[in-house]
Amino acid sequence: MRLVVVSAGLSVPSSTRLLADRLAAAVGRQTPVDTEVIELRELAVEIAHNFTNGFAGKGLAAAQDAVAGADGLIVVTPVFSASYSGLFKSFFDVLDKDALVGKPVLIGATGGTGRHSLVLEHALRPLFAYLRAVVVPTGVYAASEDWGADGLAARIERAAAELAALMPLAPRGAEDAVVPFAEQLAALQR
């Protein structure tokens, strides 16, 4: 199965990328996956050009294809002004409108304080619901004080298990996207 990780971290090293890597490793412990990581900071110029000229550059086109062909996504953004970063949102704005239909997505975010943890529920979950993705129940937020503390590892493992369970049910093409996936999900819940 193909797992694509989208990291919107801006610095090197990045706590956002660290969280993304830990989530991907946890999914890999649950099920065999081929993992591809997309660093959005490397695509920032191409994303901006796509808005102004309507064409995706080579790197952006490859990232769009990777996301569209994934069996599951992990998306992680730093928190800016109590929401996802503009670069993060811009990347999802330049995807095909049906690229995420029925696709399982694990949402994550990083920030300097635990006060921003609701970004998962008030910003990320609604964004991916709008894009018609299937967001796993457990999102993972990591504040500065969470690194090395009790609880973060358990949240990572729980979210990874949820994504791993949904990935085999992901639609394989546009014709599979909505009804068969909904039927499979209902069968899984029985």
Side-chain angles (χ1 to χ4, degrees):
M1 284 186 289
R2 293 194 61 216
L3 174 65
V4 174
V5 179
V6 178
S7 173
L10 298 177
S11 60
V12 178
S14 162
S15 62
T16 301
R17 175 64 190 266
L18 178 61
L19 179 59
D21 289 344
R22 287 192 181 179
L23 290 166
V27 172
R29 288 190 291 275
Q30 296 286 330
T31 189
V33 291
D34 291 320
T35 303
E36 179 177 348
V37 177
I38 298 169
E39 285 279 2
L40 294 184
R41 69 179 155 68
E42 296 172 359
L43 298 173
V45 172
E46 289 187 45
I47 292 169
H49 285 167
N50 187 256
F51 279 114
T52 59
N53 66 23
F55 295 100
K58 188 176 179 180
L60 179 57
Q64 290 170 323
D65 290 344
V67 168
D71 295 305
L73 291 177
I74 294 172
V75 299
V76 186
T77 180
V79 175
F80 289 109
S81 300
S83 190
Y84 39 69
S85 73
L87 180 60
F88 182 85
K89 177 65 164 66
S90 294
F91 175 72
F92 290 100
D93 285 344
V94 299
L95 288 180
D96 180 86
K97 66 179 181 65
D98 295 324
L100 299 183
V101 173
K103 196 167 303 287
V105 176
L106 190 167
I107 57 174
T110 58
T113 174
R115 293 185 312 226
H116 292 297
S117 63
L118 286 176
V119 70
L120 297 172
E121 302 306 322
H122 79 76
L124 286 159
R125 196 172 298 277
L127 171 64
F128 289 98
Y130 175 80
L131 295 171
R132 296 173 288 157
V134 177
V135 182
V136 301
T138 303
V140 181
Y141 178 82
S144 298
E145 64 266 15
D146 288 327
W147 298 103
D150 289 337
L152 180 59
R155 292 194 315 270
I156 288 171
E157 293 299 326
R158 184 173 56 244
E162 292 167 359
L163 182 63
L166 289 175
M167 285 176 63
L169 307 176
R172 300 288 181 239
E175 64 280 355
D176 294 342
V178 180
V179 176
F181 184 77
E183 291 170 1
Q184 289 177 343
L185 186 57
L188 182 67
Q189 293 173 340
R190 286 186 208 134

